[in-house]
């Protein structure tokens, strides 16, 4: 396997690992601030950072080693979607991502995947366009914002602030409400950019679908 594709594969491997680590404290009913909850957050942050960095490294090595291929053009966005839908599922469960945003993004990604499959059958490999790349950047940013909010409670920081009298319970509820609204805003923008980029793909490759349907 080419070096660039190995980095892409790392994102696919990281996705279920992140998913398991995220839910492990929940499945075992560990309280916020427990050793397991803190450890899960401590592992998830660098894991997600490394997973997202592979998106840069695969492109870097593909260009550097002359490994750009039709397979890579399809494998790279597939790995991105695989990773981000896995993380989004975690945040939907925790109430940090509105379900409607997740479903709309799911529709978009399945539609985009269908477009790529039809295009590939017609001999056209659709590489990521600027709009798609910008959308992915916002997916990444939203994941880290949501993970930071999750860490605020999971690590016990929120409970510590209340126990020390820095925040009252009602004030903490207000803070958490604001943080959730911030994540809602990020994910809402993800939906906007996702469909804007999809419209761009349809504009440029819609003729391929039309030709295949004839």
């Amino acid at each position: 396997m080419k070096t660039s594709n190995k980095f892409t594969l790392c994102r696919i491997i990281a996705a279920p690992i992140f998913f398991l680590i995220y839910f492990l404290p929940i499945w075992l009913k560990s309280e916020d601030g427990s050793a397991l909850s803190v450890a899960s957050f401590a592992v998830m942050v660098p894991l997600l950072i490394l997973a997202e960095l592979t998106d840069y490294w695969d492109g870097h090595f593909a260009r550097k080693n002359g490994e750009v291929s039709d397979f890579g053009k399809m494998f790279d966005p597939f790995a991105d979607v695989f990773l981000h839908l896995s993380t989004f599922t975690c945040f939907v469960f925790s109430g940090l991502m509105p379900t409607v945003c997740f479903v709309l993004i799911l529709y978009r990604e399945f539609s985009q995947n269908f477009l790529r499959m039809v295009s590939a059958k017609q001999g056209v490999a659709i590489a990521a366009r600027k709009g798609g790349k910008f959308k992915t950047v916002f997916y990444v940013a939203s994941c880290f914002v949501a993970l930071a909010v999750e860490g605020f409670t999971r690590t016990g920081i929120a409970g510590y602030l209340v126990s020390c009298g820095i925040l009252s319970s009602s004030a903490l509820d207000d803070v958490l409400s604001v943080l959730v609204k911030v994540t809602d805003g990020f994910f809402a923008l993800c939906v906007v950019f996702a469909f804007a980029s999809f419209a761009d793909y349809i504009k440029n490759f819609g003729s391929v679908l039309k030709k295949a349907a004839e």
Side-chain angles (χ1 to χ4, degrees), residues 32-61:
D32 291 336
S34 67
L36 181 58
S37 294
V38 173
S40 66
F41 182 74
V43 172
M44 284 189 295
V45 173
L47 175 62
L48 189 58
I49 290 174
L50 288 174
E52 298 294 0
L53 283 175
T54 63
D55 194 18
Y56 165 77
W57 289 330
D58 62 13
H60 170 76
F61 282 100

Side-chain angles (χ1 to χ4, degrees), residues 74 109-126 198 202 205-214:
M74 298 181 67
E109 297 301 346
F110 272 101
S111 300
Q112 178 70 19
N113 186 53
F114 178 74
L115 175 61
R116 290 186 190 279
M117 288 192 299
V118 173
S119 298
K121 194 170 182 63
Q122 297 295 315
V124 178
I126 300 179
F198 183 61
I202 291 296
F205 299 99
S207 59
V208 179
L209 281 177
K210 184 177 179 181
K211 181 180 178 180
E214 292 176 349

Side-chain angles (χ1 to χ4, degrees), residues 2 14 29 43 51 75 77 81-82 99-100 120 130 134 139 141 156 180:
K2 297 176 181 178
K29 303 185 185 303
V43 172
F75 193 35
V81 172
F82 195 83
T99 304
V100 64
K130 287 184 179 179
F134 184 76
Y139 277 14
V180 170

